[in-house]
Structures are given as C-alpha cells and as structure tokens.
Amino acid sequence: MTSFSAVVGEWAHDVQGALEAVFKVSVQELVSQLNSLVPVDTGFLRASLRASTSAMPVLSLDNPGGAHSPDAGTIELVIVGADLGDTIYLGYTAKYGAHVHYGANGRPGRPWVDMVAQRWASIVAAKSAEVKGRLGL
C-alpha cells in the first residue's frame, strides 16, 4: 500500500500545513462516502457512526426505533482535533452493523465499509489535487 505522503505528492511537503489539510479533507470525504453508502432503513445505523483518535468505536448501541439523523459535529471535532500522523478510527456503534455489513440469517452482506476503505488512496489523491488547486499551485 502506498503511503499517505507518497499519494499526496512532493508539493505538499514544501507548503506549510498542506499535508495536514489534505489529511483532514480526505478523512471528511471518507466519512461522506461511508454515510452515502450505508444501508438506511431508519437512519440509526448511519447515525451510529463515531470517530476517535484513541480506539475503534465498538458495536454497543441497541436500536431504539424511530427515525435518526447523524451527528456530524462530533465527528468533525475529532477530525479537526487530529494531528498529522494520528490514526482516526471510524466505526459504527449500532450492534446490528456487523450483520448488515457481513450478512446474517441468510441475508447477504452489504460491505459498504470495505468498499469505501478501498478507496482511501484515490480519495487522498483527489483531495490532494483539490487542495493544490485551491492554493493555486
């Protein structure tokens, strides 16, 4: 797997703050793509997405029923507070998330997390080009 720094390109090493900017907008795009592909019935699974720089969020929440909306603010705070080189863990906390992702009880899985994770290098490359363009380089 190609390193983050190599995907971003040499230009970012010469511009103060560029690597961190590409890192943060890339993670934001990853979150956006995760939320756009998550299977939605009530919205609880999508709303259960959490971010952390200390540990992977665990499958711990029961679905209380009803409609739910994601709280993007807490995820944004983790991303903004992260330093370049930190690992940002993104995980769904709805207990049934693994059943949806991998399949259960004869239902096929819908592996949206794996699909988006495989896009990381292309997301970084696209966001690197975007940041480079915004800076007029």
Side-chain angles (χ1 to χ4, degrees), residues 2 16 36 63-64 80 89 99 104 116 131 135:
T2 308
Q16 185 176 1
S36 71
N63 187 345
V80 168
Y89 300 94
H99 295 286
V116 174
V131 169
L135 294 174

Side-chain angles (χ1 to χ4, degrees), residues 56-113:
M56 177 61 88
V58 297
L59 300 169
S60 60
L61 300 176
D62 290 318
N63 187 345
H68 303 275
S69 299
D71 178 11
T74 56
I75 293 172
E76 290 295 320
L77 288 175
V78 170
I79 295 169
V80 168
D83 292 320
L84 186 62
D86 284 351
T87 297
I88 298 178
Y89 300 94
L90 298 168
Y92 291 90
T93 57
K95 284 184 179 178
Y96 66 92
H99 295 286
V100 176
H101 191 270
Y102 297 108
N105 302 320
R107 291 185 178 191
R110 297 184 273 176
W112 79 98
V113 174

Side-chain angles (χ1 to χ4, degrees), residues 4 20 29 34 42 60 111 118 121:
F4 173 81
E20 186 171 349
E29 178 62 23
L34 282 168
T42 65
S60 60
Q118 290 172 5

Side-chain angles (χ1 to χ4, degrees), residues 6 16 25 31 35 52 54-55 108:
Q16 185 176 1
V25 297
V31 169
N35 279 332
S52 172
S54 60

